[in-house]
Amino acid sequence: MVLPNDKSIVVVCAADDGYSMPLAVTLRSLLENLRAGQVVDLYIIDGGISDRNKHKILKSLKPHAYNLTWLSIPDDWIKAIPELPGSERIKIVAYYRLFIPILLPLSVKKAIYLDSDVVICRNIAELWNLELSESYVLAVQDTGVPFVSSDWGLRKYKELGLEPDHKYFNSGVLVINLDKWRTEHISEKVIEYLITNQEYVNAHDQDGLNAMLANRWIEIDPRWNPVSYTHLRAHETKANLVCRLLLE
């Protein structure tokens, strides 16, 4: 255990048992790229990771400077998540990021969220130190769905008062302003949007986040979240700050 301090980098991930080993890769790559003296406070939202795989994760992380806290979601919170069309293809753990502002201590004002299928290729402190200001979130524009009016964007963007060229972000790598999310109940509003607009939702929680945070997020370097890089040449892939694992 490393003593946390005001300069600790806060990182949150979520996984079930099936993604526990990819999660181990994500965490190890994150810690391997830290500089000496840097500390990360890791919060893992546990979607059913076995004790055996938790032990494997911990074993892979030594002896880096980190504090790890396992978090669990109450059953009644999970029941609040709507069953959307195509839900059989989307693991419930994908929605866990919505509960980050509620699960983390109120003393934590900011957090980085990482999907458990990424490999960190640079020091995560570079992302942590980007100016968040009064924005709700830092994110990367989705390469496959670049605008709210894209084919797989927000089907009700006009009703939301959005212009077709408003950008649509990918929720796999986020820097979250927890204070603003808590004060304005962003997570609750996203869930309410998903419940009210079930038949219009394409990308589950990501649609809800884009609907609630349109024009209230700051775009960051796309190398922090390249959603698909199989078409890139080898030298271009190495330039990415974060890479996606190729998982079925």
Side-chain angles (χ1 to χ4, degrees):
M1 174 68 69
V2 179
L3 290 177
N5 56 66
D6 292 339
K7 296 183 179 179
S8 296
I9 301 167
V10 179
V11 176
V12 186
C13 296
D16 58 12
D17 203 47
Y19 267 69
S20 58
M21 291 303 96
L23 171 63
V25 175
T26 297
L27 299 179
R28 180 61 182 260
S29 67
L30 162 69
L31 297 174
E32 286 288 349
N33 283 285
L34 294 177
R35 294 197 313 272
Q38 291 179 322
V39 177
V40 173
D41 292 337
L42 295 174
Y43 292 88
I44 308 302
I45 305 177
D46 179 8
I49 302 175
S50 67
D51 290 341
R52 179 171 179 268
N53 283 335
K54 284 182 180 178
H55 176 73
K56 287 183 178 180
I57 291 172
L58 293 174
K59 187 176 180 181
S60 72
L61 300 184
K62 295 178 180 179
H64 300 285
Y66 70 93
N67 302 292
L68 191 152
T69 302
W70 297 99
L71 302 171
S72 58
I73 303 286
D75 289 341
D76 57 331
W77 293 13
I78 296 175
K79 291 177 181 177
I81 299 172
E83 293 187 10
L84 301 173
S87 291
E88 67 278 0
R89 301 192 307 273
I90 303 295
K91 294 181 180 293
I92 196 70
V93 72
Y95 292 89
Y96 284 3
R97 80 196 83 194
L98 298 179
F99 299 112
I100 291 173
I102 306 170
L103 289 170
L104 266 58
L106 292 177
S107 59
V108 180
K109 309 297 185 182
K110 178 175 74 170
I112 295 174
Y113 168 80
L114 300 174
D115 272 352
S116 58
D117 64 347
V118 301
V119 176
I120 311 301
C121 303
R122 291 279 288 276
N123 190 334
I124 201 71
E126 296 177 29
L127 179 60
W128 179 255
N129 290 329
L130 293 178
E131 181 60 44
L132 186 56
S133 187
E134 292 302 307
S135 176
Y136 292 75
V137 70
L138 307 183
V140 168
Q141 183 181 19
D142 196 290
T143 54
V145 187
F147 304 103
V148 296
S149 61
S150 298
D151 288 343
W152 290 95
L154 298 179
R155 292 161 64 184
K156 295 189 69 176
Y157 75 90
K158 293 180 181 178
E159 289 83 347
L160 292 168
L162 304 179
E163 296 297 327
D165 60 350
H166 283 171
K167 293 182 178 181
Y168 182 100
F169 65 84
N170 185 281
S171 61
V173 175
L174 304 171
V175 182
I176 303 171
N177 187 331
L178 296 177
D179 270 354
K180 291 188 74 68
W181 278 43
R182 291 169 179 143
T183 300
E184 300 191 27
H185 306 286
I186 297 300
S187 297
E188 294 89 337
K189 289 177 181 178
V190 169
I191 292 175
E192 180 60 32
Y193 174 86
L194 296 175
I195 293 172
T196 305
N197 299 280
Q198 293 184 42
E199 67 270 33
Y200 302 106
V201 173
N202 289 322
H204 300 265
D205 62 303
Q206 184 169 273
D207 264 20
L209 287 168
N210 274 276
M212 293 299 100
L213 299 178
N215 287 334
R216 297 196 286 179
W217 60 283
I218 294 177
E219 183 178 3
I220 57 175
D221 192 319
R223 291 181 300 164
W224 279 115
N225 189 11
V227 177
S228 175
Y229 63 92
T230 55
H231 64 288
L232 297 177
R233 294 185 295 274
H235 72 280
E236 292 174 316
T237 304
K238 292 178 181 178
N240 289 326
L241 308 177
V242 173
C243 297
R244 289 271 168 179
L245 296 176
L246 300 180
L247 299 173
E248 295 299 327

